[in-house]
Amino acid sequence: MKQAPVCPYDRDELVLHLVPQGAIFALHMTRSYTFRAFLGILGAVALLLMVNTASAQEPSARPPGIASPAPLHLWQWERSIGLSLSTLPRVIVEEELNQSPALDLRSRLGLPWGFSADARLLIQVLTNHLEFGGSWSFAIGRFAVSLGDNSAWWFGFLTIDGFDNSANGWLNYPNISLGYDFGRFRVVLRAEMLLVLSFRSYAGDYLLSSDKNGFGGFSSSVTIEQPFWKNTHVLIGFKASYLKYFYQSWFTYETFNRYLFIPELSFGFIL
């Protein structure tokens, strides 16, 4: 396999040239328009769901769930579409760039013996994240617990205003979830670790940096699944991460070797 050429220049000198004010302004405008487009998509989905459920009279016997660790029936397929919004620390990025909206697609498929196959796609245009894995679940009364492990491949690119950079990598997320079913709604607590399996960033064809087999940090989250309209349900979540490495900040070329707090809000329609 052909090796990418290693950049002959100092990394700090490259960052000064790779992040000009014009690129920052263009990136800000790109994210602004992306955020508005995603809100428009969610509004259209919400309207479609309300129209489709307007004739429903009774709620379903068992509300659908995508984040809940409750075991699924064999081949039962749950999915959702929504929006996730992460906030990058201002110590590594300018204020106008610190919010990272992404279209959030989730899927969960029931398998035999309490197992399930999970998938999640985060589309941010500049940075995209495909996650897949599995979990094993069991329930005791209204409580449910799952143990799982997910892997993810992500890639990012920025080719505006002479800024020709890209990055990609593999991540791993061992996780555990605890859920409680209150009847009309569910509450889910989740904890996960982040393992950086590989990472590479490029300036054109030059390899800027690479890393592998590192501990990236840990996260905890709370998610509520509840009715929205007739038979339509939504999920609302908050995630708190303490990470040394956050893939969405690849374009900042930050050099901090410490844990940073990264909050994330999510909202989605369960289809």
Side-chain angles (χ1 to χ4, degrees):
M1 182 179 295
K2 184 179 179 180
Q3 294 283 342
V6 178
C7 185
Y9 303 106
D10 180 78
R11 184 169 182 265
D12 293 335
E13 294 178 354
L14 273 173
V15 170
L16 291 176
H17 290 87
L18 293 174
V19 194
Q21 290 299 317
I24 292 177
F25 176 76
L27 181 56
H28 168 60
M29 295 301 295
T30 300
R31 291 198 170 184
S32 177
Y33 288 128
T34 301
F35 182 65
R36 295 175 186 176
F38 288 162
L39 289 182
I41 292 172
L42 291 183
V45 171
L47 180 61
L48 178 62
L49 290 174
M50 287 188 288
V51 170
N52 288 341
T53 58
S55 60
Q57 300 297 325
E58 299 294 335
S60 58
R62 182 183 181 187
I66 189 71
S68 171
L72 299 178
H73 298 302
L74 182 62
W75 309 128
Q76 179 182 350
W77 183 33
E78 302 289 357
R79 59 270 188 207
S80 70
I81 180 172
L83 182 73
S84 293
L85 180 65
S86 300
T87 301
L88 304 180
R90 294 182 182 178
V91 296
I92 65 171
V93 67
E94 295 195 11
E95 182 175 355
E96 65 267 25
L97 298 177
N98 70 334
Q99 292 185 334
S100 303
L103 185 64
D104 190 351
L105 308 175
R106 308 188 193 196
S107 178
R108 186 175 178 226
L109 178 66
L111 300 176
W113 304 302
F115 289 93
S116 64
D118 311 312
R120 185 180 185 187
L121 176 60
L122 293 168
I123 304 174
Q124 195 190 55
V125 180
L126 300 177
T127 306
N128 306 283
H129 179 278
L130 174 61
E131 181 179 334
F132 51 89
S135 61
W136 176 70
S137 306
F138 64 93
I140 303 176
R142 289 179 176 266
F143 287 96
V145 177
S146 72
L147 302 173
D149 187 80
N150 290 13
S151 295
W153 178 70
W154 69 270
F155 68 95
F157 60 90
L158 190 57
T159 56
I160 56 177
D161 195 32
F163 194 80
D164 183 17
N165 273 51
S166 62
N168 64 77
W170 284 92
L171 308 173
N172 185 252
Y173 303 96
N175 59 82
I176 181 172
S177 297
L178 171 65
Y180 187 82
D181 190 345
F182 287 88
R184 285 186 55 82
F185 68 95
R186 300 188 182 109
V187 176
V188 182
L189 303 177
R190 178 184 173 104
E192 66 183 19
M193 291 191 302
L194 169 62
L195 305 177
V196 181
L197 303 183
S198 67
F199 162 73
R200 287 193 170 194
S201 65
Y202 299 88
D205 293 329
Y206 288 111
L207 177 64
L208 285 181
S209 60
S210 63
D211 196 6
K212 61 179 181 179
N213 301 330
F215 178 72
F218 54 92
S219 304
S220 60
S221 64
V222 57
T223 303
I224 298 175
E225 297 176 333
Q226 66 178 51
F228 175 65
W229 178 262
K230 300 294 185 179
N231 280 350
T232 305
H233 292 73
V234 296
L235 64 87
I236 304 171
F238 173 75
K239 182 178 182 180
S241 300
Y242 290 89
L243 305 175
K244 286 186 177 181
Y245 172 86
F246 186 47
Y247 74 95
Q248 290 187 22
S249 65
W250 68 269
F251 61 88
T252 66
Y253 299 96
E254 57 91 9
T255 57
F256 292 99
N257 186 23
R258 61 178 178 178
Y259 290 99
L260 298 174
F261 173 66
I262 300 174
E264 177 185 311
L265 297 174
S266 58
F267 177 84
F269 295 96
I270 302 176
L271 305 178

